[in-house]
Amino acid sequence: MFDRLTKTRFIRRLNRFVLVLKIDQTGEQIEAHLPDPGRLKELLVVDAVVWIQYADNPLRKTNWTAILCETDAGTLVSLKTTLANTLIEEALLTDRLPFFKGWTLEKREYRVDHSRFDFLLANHDGAKLLVEVKSVTLARNEKGFFPDAVTNRGAKHVKELTQLAQLGNYQSCILFVAQREDIQSVSMEATIDPVFAKAIEDAVEQGVHVFAVGTVINTERIEISKQIPVFV
């Protein structure tokens, strides 16, 4: 999954999507694309280890992509939010998620009216289940928190899933993926985004399913490890 990563040190963040880094082996200063637009203030500190991957693409502004970051304790954290969806798709295709037993993947990026959701599942009874995946990287004392920045889009999706569940045409699910292996549970970070936290609380009350999974990570790959509790 991770192809020949290069070890660097964090210098500064130019904007939401670009990091300035120094390659450990050569001392060369480079710029790398950051796939995660979140705040990441607890991770991206001066001299933090960042693992990057080279991409030979003339259409890109930078040939490097930031893939992983290390905490002071040496914990690897994924900086690629899209990996959460990749992991869940693989798990759905191989039937590795016990809470989706009996459901099969029908379509990715499924559109309902003007909104698009990550996955549409179906079961033998003809029921349909919409799944929205969220990547979790903020953690304190082995507890994961979401979001790490205000997410108006995330709150909108949760509210739409709640409305669709109420109408009865679809079942709905929000699935949190911990993209660092020291996370043993997931909670809503209401101090950062009270609107999202309230939307999740209302969703659960209206029958929307909420699950979370942990992962194991090294510099070669990331894999789902187990289901972990979610506290709303």
Side-chain angles (χ1 to χ4, degrees), residues 65-200:
T65 300
I67 302 296
L68 302 170
C69 179
E70 287 187 21
T71 68
D72 288 341
T75 300
L76 288 170
V77 183
S78 170
L79 297 175
K80 197 170 181 180
T81 55
T82 56
L83 280 178
N85 287 55
T86 301
L87 290 171
I88 295 306
E89 182 176 17
E90 290 176 354
L92 288 168
L93 292 173
T94 55
D95 199 24
R96 291 184 54 206
L97 300 172
F99 43 82
F100 288 146
K101 193 72 175 177
W103 295 91
T104 57
L105 175 59
E106 190 161 291
K107 191 171 183 180
R108 282 199 62 169
E109 302 294 324
Y110 182 71
R111 185 174 291 277
V112 180
D113 296 327
H114 299 295
S115 295
R116 191 168 53 191
F117 301 98
D118 291 324
F119 299 104
L120 173 69
L121 311 186
N123 66 14
H124 294 300
D125 298 325
K128 305 292 185 180
L129 172 61
L130 295 169
V131 180
E132 186 68 12
V133 177
K134 303 298 180 187
S135 171
V136 184
T137 58
L138 176 61
R140 296 187 293 271
N141 301 320
E142 297 190 342
K143 298 176 182 178
F145 294 91
F146 186 90
D148 76 340
V150 174
T151 172
N152 295 326
R153 181 175 177 272
K156 175 177 175 288
H157 272 152
V158 173
K159 291 175 182 178
E160 289 171 339
L161 285 171
T162 304
Q163 292 170 353
L164 289 168
Q166 288 175 319
L167 291 172
N169 294 330
Y170 297 93
Q171 295 186 42
S172 300
C173 173
I174 297 134
L175 177 53
F176 295 95
V177 178
Q179 290 216 69
R180 49 188 290 172
E181 63 184 29
D182 59 346
I183 289 178
Q184 301 301 319
S185 67
V186 173
S187 299
M188 304 308 108
E189 183 51 284
T191 57
I192 289 177
D193 194 340
V195 175
F196 181 87
K198 181 63 166 59
I200 289 287

Side-chain angles (χ1 to χ4, degrees), residues 39-57:
R39 292 189 314 164
L40 305 174
K41 289 184 177 180
E42 298 81 3
L43 298 174
L44 297 178
V45 297
V46 174
D47 211 35
V49 172
V50 179
W51 293 89
I52 61 175
Q53 186 170 296
Y54 186 77
D56 188 8
N57 184 345

